[in-house]
Amino acid sequence: MSALVALRCAAVLGASGVALGAFGAHGLKKIISEPDRIQTWDMAARYQLIHAAALLALSASARHKPYVVGLWAAGTAMFSGSIYCLVLNRDAFKALGPVTPLGGMLMIAGWLALLTP
């Protein structure tokens, strides 16, 4: 994947991360009362924003690694996306439970892939 793809992924993840983080801080309390679920939402938004920033940095790097873009973008979508769904309706989205750790493993794999020459 090109640096432009990394930049676009960073933009989408960053913009949606800010929007979902703001919703978690201001709107989620109107539909969910459990503090632990709200904290879980906040954690998902935080990981999403961290990986958006990492993708932005990678897009500007001279040592751009295309496979890292795929690992981070897919991993973040799977990790944070499944958490958002599970926080909103645990019963309806219970099948997404195993997706969360898979997304996390993809994000970790992306970080480790930075070690490759």
Side-chain angles (χ1 to χ4, degrees):
M1 289 184 210
S2 69
L4 181 59
V5 171
L7 179 62
R8 287 180 176 163
C9 288
V12 169
L13 287 175
S16 59
V18 170
L20 289 162
F23 173 72
H26 303 290
L28 192 60
K29 293 175 186 168
K30 295 176 185 173
I31 58 173
I32 293 173
S33 60
E34 298 100 319
D36 61 321
R37 288 172 64 193
I38 293 170
Q39 288 175 349
T40 301
W41 183 283
D42 179 59
M43 186 252 332
R46 194 170 333 114
Y47 273 70
Q48 182 173 340
L49 289 169
I50 288 167
H51 284 83
L55 280 164
L56 182 62
L58 187 64
S59 73
S61 171
R63 291 183 34 110
H64 178 74
K65 297 186 181 222
Y67 47 91
V68 174
V69 175
L71 290 167
W72 280 346
T76 303
M78 291 168 65
F79 180 82
S80 294
S82 63
I83 290 174
Y84 297 138
C85 291
L86 289 165
V87 166
L88 289 174
N89 192 329
R90 203 175 293 142
D91 294 330
F93 296 109
K94 65 181 172 186
L96 292 179
V99 173
T100 306
L102 291 175
M105 286 190 287
L106 290 176
M107 290 189 297
I108 293 166
W111 285 105
L112 293 173
L114 291 174
L115 296 171
T116 62

